[in-house]
Amino acid sequence: MNAILLFMGMGMQEMLLIGLVILVFFGSKKIPEFMKGLGKGLREFKDGVKDVHKDIEDATNTRTDANNVKTDFNDVKKDFNHVKPDFNNVETDVNNVK
């Protein structure tokens, strides 16, 4: 049971003492405002983490798209290299007809 009540190496008595000190220091009216501010701060932090994850995902998708464009360009280049000799032959034939 002692292992369950331990939080960062503190027992129940230490946590009650800290709670009492906070109550005396801030007063009963300030604690809800403090907790509300803490909640807003945590929510903003969580939203910021989500934005960073989204930015990383978008950057990864952009890199994938760029690689796809590069692959498509290389495919077109290969196709052109296959057709190029045929154009050279046509050019030679046209020059022979002149």
Side-chain angles (χ1 to χ4, degrees):
M1 177 122 187
N2 284 343
I4 295 173
L5 296 177
L6 291 178
F7 177 73
M8 294 180 19
M10 295 187 296
M12 187 59 113
Q13 292 175 343
E14 288 89 357
M15 286 194 271
L16 286 174
L17 181 63
I18 291 171
L20 183 63
V21 169
I22 290 173
L23 183 62
V24 169
F25 186 70
F26 287 109
S28 62
K29 292 184 180 182
K30 293 286 183 178
I31 291 175
E33 293 173 20
F34 175 72
M35 296 306 283
K36 184 178 178 181
L38 183 64
K40 284 182 180 180
L42 287 174
R43 187 177 314 114
E44 289 177 12
F45 177 76
K46 203 172 167 183
D47 291 342
V49 169
K50 284 180 185 177
D51 288 342
V52 168
H53 281 285
K54 186 178 181 301
D55 290 344
I56 290 171
E57 185 177 323
D58 290 346
T60 303
N61 290 339
T62 301
R63 181 173 289 161
T64 301
D65 291 343
N67 286 337
N68 290 340
V69 168
K70 185 177 180 181
T71 301
D72 291 345
F73 177 76
N74 286 333
D75 290 344
V76 169
K77 187 176 175 182
K78 286 178 189 175
D79 291 343
F80 178 75
N81 286 334
H82 288 291
V83 174
K84 188 176 178 182
D86 293 336
F87 280 116
N88 288 337
N89 291 339
V90 168
E91 182 181 16
T92 304
D93 290 344
V94 168
N95 287 334
N96 287 338
V97 169
K98 286 183 183 181

